[in-house]
Amino acid sequence: MAQPRISAYLPPDIDPTKAPLAFGRRALPKLNEELQSPELLTQQRALMALCDVVHDPEKVYQAIALGFLDNLKTLLVHHDQTVRQKTTEVLSVMVLHSIGRQGLIRSGVISALTGLLDDPVDICRKNTHQIFDMMAKLPEGAGGVLRAGLIPPLVLKLKMELDEIQELIFDTLSNCLRVEVSEALEAGAVTVLKEKLSHPSTTIRSKAAWVLLEISSHAEGKIAVCKEGVIPVLVSLLEDPQPEVQVNATGALMFAAVTPQGRSSAMVAEAIPPLLKLVAEETSKARLNAIKTLTLLAELPEGRQTLLDHRDTFQRCLDDPSEAVQRAAQIAITVIEWKP
Amino acid sequence: PSTPEVQKQKKAQKKSLAKKLTEEQIRPGTPEPVEGRVHVHVQTELYLEEISDRIIEVDGECQTDEFLDRPPTPLFIPAKTGKDVATQIEEGELFDFDIEVKPILEVLVGKTVEQALLEVMEEEELAQLWSHQRAFAELRNAEFAELQRLEEQDRRIREEKERRRLEHLEKLRKQKETAEKVAARAFAQRYLADLIPSVFNNLYDSGFFYDPIERDIETEFLPWLMSEVEETLQKKVLGRMMLDSLIRMVVEKRLDEFSHPPPPDQTEEPDATGEEDAAPQVSGEADAADQPVAETEETDQPVAEE
């Protein structure tokens, strides 16, 4: 009898793990229905197809308009790990598009994702953190993350997660803490970050220093940083061989030295010689931060005395190609030569 | 149902309808005809019409035969015309594969390479964007730190100024206080300078400093003197009153005596004795009264002299 299937063999370039896509506009609604089917295999195949489809921005737009996010939210707590993994992957690709981010914020997927932080499967957790990271780059996303009360769990996770995931958490935290810092301080973020500053991996050290920078740009953060005695550790990091670590450590010191206690503890920790070395290097990325930190330290009388001998270093900085460095050097010279 | 039957039914229906109509028209209108007579429609118009309700109908039928299958088309082989010609394509005459395939290959390879380049460029652009963002973030942080430093400086300077201002105010206040104190003290001193003499004067005037003997005399002697004087005066007054009453009595009695006739002798003697008793008594009293009167007169005079 005649059948629509011509041959017993499937065509050569069909992926049996993916659901076949209907034509044109019917593709996504059909996938939506398949996602809600009670059969596990259908759901998995639909998710695989969705993963590929969602790289196209127009399809993302259509998907969000159709209300895919509610279905995906229910699938996040599915018992099968493939379903969860693929759902998080779909969400992480969606979140790369702006419309996806806004849709996620509106439908409150962030709070649904908090449950996945303790998922036993690594990939799910990694995707979840990728989603948080991408969301936190947006101001409303950072606000959403803060409102979902994610900071204390994230700080806890820092202590025990894998390295890759830790990097993602650092990025998320640095973007969120730029907005508000009190929750993180309550969760004891400064202590955790202080430990991470001595981690063997470069990226982790540099990212931890970056997060400390963001923390100490707020007033409460500065107080906490001084109290926990992070400044000596930061000073020791100034001599780190890696330039990214140096840049971030100098930046964190710069913010921490604004308060008088920070300044005095920096002087005690003898921060001036390594900072001068950083300024003297022509190609150092940390030049700007180092000049600024030295400016701050020069407001103390002892600092001014020490730096009066090194004025020529700053004079050489005036020839730097970057305009910001020139300006900073100018300000530094003014502060050093100031007489009360 | 076949058409003749249907047509017959229709005809029957029409007939019945026509009958009904005609019957309905006739009933209300004209009454029943009399026996032996029949109603007949008569046309009374000018021009007579031929009335024909019934259309002349003729039934006719026709039926097609069943379709027969179309017979198969006869084989038509057109007659051969023209000449038979044959060609043979040698290798390399139609097209040269290597040359022809070049543009196709170029397109294919070009598209692939283009796509690959696009992807690489995208990645580079992304990396550039990230580095740009990093640079901006650094600049922003540096500016932010500068801002905070200036804020801190400003705060320190302001606090310093505030403290100095408060100190200055305090100093002024203290100065003013001490000046007031000094002025008050000078004034008080001057005021109190002649306090002591005036106090003493007042006291002296109000009699606090007294000679004890004088005081003594004043407080004890004089009241006693005054009371004694009072007593004496009272006695004198009393004597004078007594004298006055005596005199009055005597005068009244003498008035009675002189106004009444002289009474009998018996009664005169006791009266006389009585009178005499009374008279010496009276004279005794009068003498007694005279003496204190004399005394009082004496004392009166010295008192009046005083």
Side-chain angles (χ1 to χ4, degrees):
Chain A
M1 210 172 77
Q3 267 190 347
R5 273 183 87 186
I6 300 170
S7 143
Y9 300 108
L10 281 171
D13 50 359
I14 262 192
D15 189 0
T17 57
K18 283 198 262 190
L21 278 177
F23 183 74
R25 268 189 332 182
R26 184 74 196 131
L28 281 173
K30 184 149 178 281
L31 280 177
N32 206 359
E33 287 155 19
E34 281 181 17
L35 275 181
Q36 291 165 349
S37 94
E39 217 185 86
L40 182 63
L41 186 62
T42 330
Q43 279 178 332
Q44 286 176 344
R45 294 181 77 199
L47 276 172
M48 297 283 297
L50 193 60
C51 276
D52 289 331
V53 147
V54 101
H55 283 274
D56 188 1
E58 292 193 24
K59 293 273 191 284
V60 175
Y61 191 80
Q62 198 186 357
I64 295 188
L66 283 172
F68 258 83
L69 288 171
D70 294 318
N71 288 336
L72 291 171
K73 251 204 304 195
T74 33
L75 282 177
L76 276 174
V77 292
H78 205 267
H79 54 84
D80 183 44
Q81 68 163 21
T82 325
V83 168
R84 281 200 305 262
Q85 175 194 330
K86 279 293 160 188
T87 318
T88 44
E89 203 179 307
V90 165
L91 283 172
S92 67
V93 175
M94 266 189 172
V95 99
L96 291 173
H97 305 287
S98 138
I99 187 81
R101 285 193 283 263
Q102 286 168 14
L104 250 78
I105 297 177
R106 250 179 296 137
S107 59
V109 173
I110 301 181
S111 21
L113 282 169
T114 41
L116 276 177
L117 279 176
D118 302 317
D119 201 281
V121 180
D122 288 344
I123 305 263
C124 291
R125 273 178 297 157
K126 181 151 177 265
N127 287 337
T128 316
H129 284 287
Q130 261 176 349
I131 298 174
F132 287 143
D133 180 23
M134 211 56 214
M135 290 300 299
K137 293 202 208 290
L138 212 63
E140 299 100 32
V145 169
L146 280 168
R147 257 173 295 159
L150 275 172
I151 312 273
L154 282 175
V155 173
L156 274 172
K157 291 283 166 203
L158 264 181
K159 296 187 204 157
M160 57 182 102
E161 275 279 11
L162 307 163
D163 283 353
E164 298 176 337
I165 302 188
Q166 275 185 18
E167 288 171 22
L168 290 168
I169 299 181
F170 278 130
D171 284 331
T172 325
L173 277 177
S174 70
N175 282 320
C176 289
L177 291 178
R178 199 172 293 156
V179 181
E180 210 204 300
V181 102
S182 50
E183 283 185 21
L185 288 175
E186 275 170 41
V190 183
T191 338
V192 178
L193 289 165
K194 194 169 139 186
E195 287 170 37
K196 298 289 170 198
L197 281 176
S198 23
H199 202 271
S201 153
T202 319
T203 17
I204 293 212
R205 264 177 300 160
S206 67
K207 285 191 199 264
W210 184 256
V211 178
L212 271 172
L213 192 154
E214 298 290 345
I215 288 185
S216 48
S217 62
H218 296 264
E220 316 82 70
K222 285 195 247 274
I223 303 174
V225 161
C226 295
K227 226 180 356 169
E228 299 266 349
V230 183
I231 298 190
V233 187
L234 284 172
V235 172
S236 64
L237 275 182
L238 286 175
E239 285 145 18
D240 197 282
Q242 302 292 331
E244 299 103 39
V245 182
Q246 279 175 347
V247 170
N248 292 338
T250 349
L253 261 180
M254 176 172 73
F255 276 111
V258 171
T259 54
Q261 305 102 311
R263 234 173 287 190
S264 41
S265 31
M267 287 300 297
V268 162
E270 294 184 34
I272 299 194
L275 285 169
L276 277 170
K277 225 176 5 186
L278 279 172
V279 173
E281 279 174 47
E282 292 280 325
T283 53
S284 153
K285 280 194 271 185
R287 227 178 179 194
L288 184 59
N289 290 346
I291 297 180
K292 284 264 180 275
T293 323
L294 283 171
T295 320
L296 281 163
L297 287 176
E299 304 219 335
L300 285 173
E302 312 91 56
R304 202 174 301 134
Q305 267 175 356
T306 334
L307 286 170
L308 273 170
D309 310 323
H310 297 275
R311 250 181 302 182
D312 50 346
T313 334
F314 291 103
Q315 296 283 356
R316 262 180 286 134
C317 288
L318 284 171
D319 309 320
D320 194 278
S322 149
E323 191 200 311
V325 175
Q326 282 177 10
R327 248 201 325 241
Q330 194 66 44
I331 297 176
I333 296 180
T334 335
V335 170
I336 293 178
E337 292 172 358
W338 180 73
K339 295 252 182 285
Chain B
S2 58
T3 34
E5 291 175 9
V6 172
Q7 284 190 352
K8 276 182 190 166
Q9 280 178 5
K10 279 190 184 168
K11 260 197 278 182
Q13 276 177 6
K14 275 188 189 168
K15 278 182 190 168
S16 59
L17 246 176
K19 271 188 192 169
K20 275 186 194 169
L21 280 172
T22 48
E23 280 175 8
E24 282 172 13
Q25 275 173 11
I26 289 172
R27 253 184 250 128
T30 51
E32 293 280 329
V34 178
E35 253 184 65
R37 294 201 185 189
V38 175
H39 280 298
V40 171
H41 276 266
V42 173
Q43 290 186 4
T44 49
E45 284 97 7
L46 269 178
Y47 300 105
L48 294 172
E49 285 176 6
E50 193 187 315
I51 300 172
S52 49
D53 283 337
R54 312 248 170 79
I55 306 163
I56 301 167
E57 291 170 17
V58 175
D59 282 331
E61 276 181 28
C62 95
Q63 170 74 38
T64 52
D65 292 331
E66 295 232 358
F67 281 119
L68 296 169
D69 276 332
R70 181 171 180 270
T73 39
L75 204 61
F76 174 65
I77 298 170
K80 208 164 127 192
T81 54
K83 278 202 256 182
D84 278 334
V85 180
T87 52
Q88 169 70 31
I89 300 177
E90 306 288 337
E91 264 194 44
E93 279 186 22
L94 197 57
F95 60 82
D96 184 10
F97 180 72
D98 291 329
I99 300 176
E100 297 300 325
V101 93
K102 248 200 213 165
I104 302 177
L105 256 187
E106 269 176 22
V107 167
L108 273 176
V109 169
K111 281 249 182 270
T112 323
V113 168
E114 208 180 295
Q115 184 72 14
L117 273 177
L118 272 176
E119 288 187 5
V120 167
M121 264 176 15
E122 271 183 17
E123 280 180 19
E124 244 186 59
E125 197 181 327
L126 205 62
Q128 267 273 330
L129 281 175
W130 280 127
S131 73
H132 203 65
Q133 198 181 56
R134 262 307 272 254
F136 171 73
E138 268 183 36
L139 210 66
R140 178 187 158 276
N141 283 338
E143 291 291 320
F144 198 36
E146 184 67 23
L147 178 79
Q148 287 186 346
R149 180 185 77 89
L150 287 172
E151 259 181 24
E152 184 72 24
Q153 217 182 34
D154 190 47
R155 189 186 64 89
R156 266 206 331 256
I157 290 178
R158 238 181 313 132
E159 269 183 19
E160 190 67 29
K161 254 199 263 189
E162 189 68 23
R163 225 172 342 123
R164 292 224 181 131
R165 193 177 71 91
L166 284 175
E167 260 181 39
H168 191 67
L169 276 178
E170 191 70 20
K171 202 167 64 146
L172 278 177
R173 199 177 59 83
K174 281 220 163 86
Q175 254 184 15
K176 208 163 68 133
E177 228 179 277
T178 38
E180 276 183 10
K181 273 191 191 164
V182 165
R185 172 185 280 198
F187 179 72
Q189 260 184 3
R190 203 176 57 80
Y191 188 70
L192 296 174
D194 46 283
L195 179 72
I196 295 179
S198 74
V199 160
F200 274 119
N201 278 340
N202 284 344
L203 281 176
Y204 194 72
D205 288 340
S206 50
F208 275 100
F209 300 116
Y210 55 85
D211 197 8
I213 301 173
E214 215 179 304
R215 188 60 176 283
D216 207 21
I217 294 176
E218 279 178 11
T219 45
E220 283 174 31
F221 178 64
L222 282 176
W224 172 81
L225 190 63
M226 293 303 291
S227 57
E228 292 296 316
V229 163
E230 219 180 295
E231 248 181 69
T232 332
L233 279 174
Q234 272 181 1
K235 282 186 190 162
K236 278 206 177 159
V237 164
L238 183 66
R240 288 205 186 140
M241 267 172 52
M242 291 290 295
L243 188 62
D244 283 343
S245 63
L246 265 175
I247 295 173
R248 193 186 171 88
M249 248 173 40
V250 161
V251 166
E252 278 180 1
K253 228 173 178 181
R254 287 210 181 141
L255 190 63
D256 284 337
E257 280 181 7
F258 287 134
S259 49
H260 292 310
D265 288 328
Q266 285 180 346
T267 52
E268 268 186 26
E269 289 170 14
D271 286 331
T273 53
E275 264 184 66
E276 284 168 8
D277 287 344
Q281 279 179 9
V282 171
S283 59
E285 282 178 16
D287 287 333
D290 272 337
Q291 281 171 11
V293 169
E295 282 179 28
T296 50
E297 279 179 10
E298 285 169 14
T299 51
D300 268 343
Q301 284 169 5
V303 168
E305 280 172 11
E306 283 178 24

